[in-house]
Amino acid sequence: MLFLRLALYCATMLALSACAPRIPRFTVQVDALTSPQAGQHTSYMLGVNNEPNDPVQAPLPGSIADTNRTLIAHGFVPAPSADQATLRIELRYGISAPQTETIIHDRPIQGKTGAQASSTTVTSVSPSGETSTTTSYKPAYGVIGYRQETELRTTYTSYAVLSAFDAKEKSAMGNPIEIWRIAMRQTSAVNDLKRLFPVMLAAAAPYIGASTGKRIDVTLDEDDASILMVKGLPIPAKNGKKEEEKAKK
């Protein structure tokens, strides 16, 4: 009886997991550069440096708040005034026009490929002892060919860039001195920068003010604790403080 209950419980849990909605997963490309002076600068002023009339760079409500939360969680401090800031951080972001491509798939065609097995049965015996038999064959099935199918796939590329400049000094030529920069890019079928901006920030957060050495891929589920932190949402307590510590790393 106990075995039957356990079997029924396992079957129920498998059915529920199969029916549960799948959490979207995104892969973000992150590319971070830094200078030796990066560790000397933590106080900052933040501003958006998008083109005002560019529809690709339309204003994004909440982007400053999300970015501030991310910077503060990783050791940066908002300066009370521009005079007290050692960093001037510029934020740029946008989303591309739709990019459509044609994907060709070879779909396998299933059918009979021959006989898998045969069996012979005696159907009758004559007075002289001769027998009549019937042979039956069990067909084998497999791929007998391929059919080409085309699919139109539309994607959008979202991006964000944080550039940090020395707020106190300029180069000998009078140009701003860049202390660090981090670029984020995500390509998918999602045409919603407001949804993807926190995902990109969460993926890039551990590398702000550091260097990745090359462009790297960071994959996150949309309900990841680090994304919730960027949004300023409460982190589920199922794993206690470990989830909060993970979000800040």
Side-chain angles (χ1 to χ4, degrees):
M1 187 68 179
L2 178 60
F3 175 78
L4 291 176
R5 288 181 178 178
L6 287 173
L8 180 59
Y9 172 79
C10 292
T12 303
M13 295 304 294
L14 285 172
L16 290 174
S17 62
C19 296
R22 186 176 179 181
I23 302 299
R25 177 173 292 179
F26 298 101
T27 297
V28 181
Q29 292 183 324
V30 179
D31 194 357
L33 299 172
T34 191
S35 69
Q37 295 79 27
Q40 305 171 15
H41 302 268
T42 56
S43 63
Y44 71 92
M45 294 294 289
L46 175 65
V48 176
N49 189 27
N50 278 359
E51 294 292 335
N53 298 319
D54 188 347
V56 174
Q57 299 181 339
L60 182 64
S63 60
I64 290 294
D66 287 351
T67 306
N68 273 324
R69 273 190 291 268
T70 304
L71 291 169
I72 292 169
H74 289 81
F76 294 89
V77 181
S81 66
D83 292 340
Q84 299 179 56
T86 60
L87 281 178
R88 176 174 55 84
I89 301 178
E90 295 181 354
L91 168 65
R92 290 187 290 112
Y93 53 77
I95 188 167
S96 72
Q99 304 292 321
T100 302
E101 60 179 334
T102 301
I103 309 297
I104 299 177
H105 301 280
D106 287 330
R107 300 292 186 187
I109 302 172
Q110 300 290 330
K112 292 182 180 180
T113 59
Q116 181 179 9
S118 64
S119 61
T120 302
T121 305
V122 176
T123 56
S124 65
V125 180
S126 69
S128 62
E130 294 180 355
T131 60
S132 297
T133 60
T134 300
T135 302
S136 59
Y137 298 91
K138 182 179 181 181
Y141 295 91
V143 177
I144 60 174
Y146 292 88
R147 178 179 62 251
Q148 279 196 345
E149 295 181 359
T150 59
E151 172 192 356
L152 289 179
R153 182 177 299 173
T154 300
T155 58
Y156 305 83
T157 297
S158 301
Y159 68 88
V161 180
L162 281 171
S163 302
F165 299 92
D166 193 317
K168 301 296 184 181
E169 299 182 7
K170 292 187 177 182
S171 69
M173 301 295 293
N175 298 320
I177 301 175
E178 190 171 47
I179 303 299
W180 53 259
R181 180 198 303 173
I182 188 162
M184 302 144 264
R185 187 171 67 175
Q186 199 281 328
T187 300
S188 66
V190 178
N191 182 23
D192 187 351
L193 183 58
K194 184 177 181 180
R195 176 183 175 186
L196 293 174
F197 184 77
V199 177
M200 292 190 292
L201 272 183
Y207 309 100
I208 293 176
S211 176
T212 56
K214 61 179 181 179
R215 183 180 296 172
I216 63 173
D217 290 341
V218 180
T219 301
L220 294 174
D221 290 335
E222 197 169 16
D223 64 348
D224 192 271
S226 61
I227 299 175
L228 299 179
M229 184 278 296
V230 171
K231 294 179 178 179
L233 298 176
I235 299 173
K238 58 183 179 180
N239 292 325
K241 294 182 178 179
K242 291 184 178 179
E243 286 292 323
E244 295 183 5
E245 292 172 359
K246 176 185 174 183
K248 293 180 179 180
K249 288 183 179 178

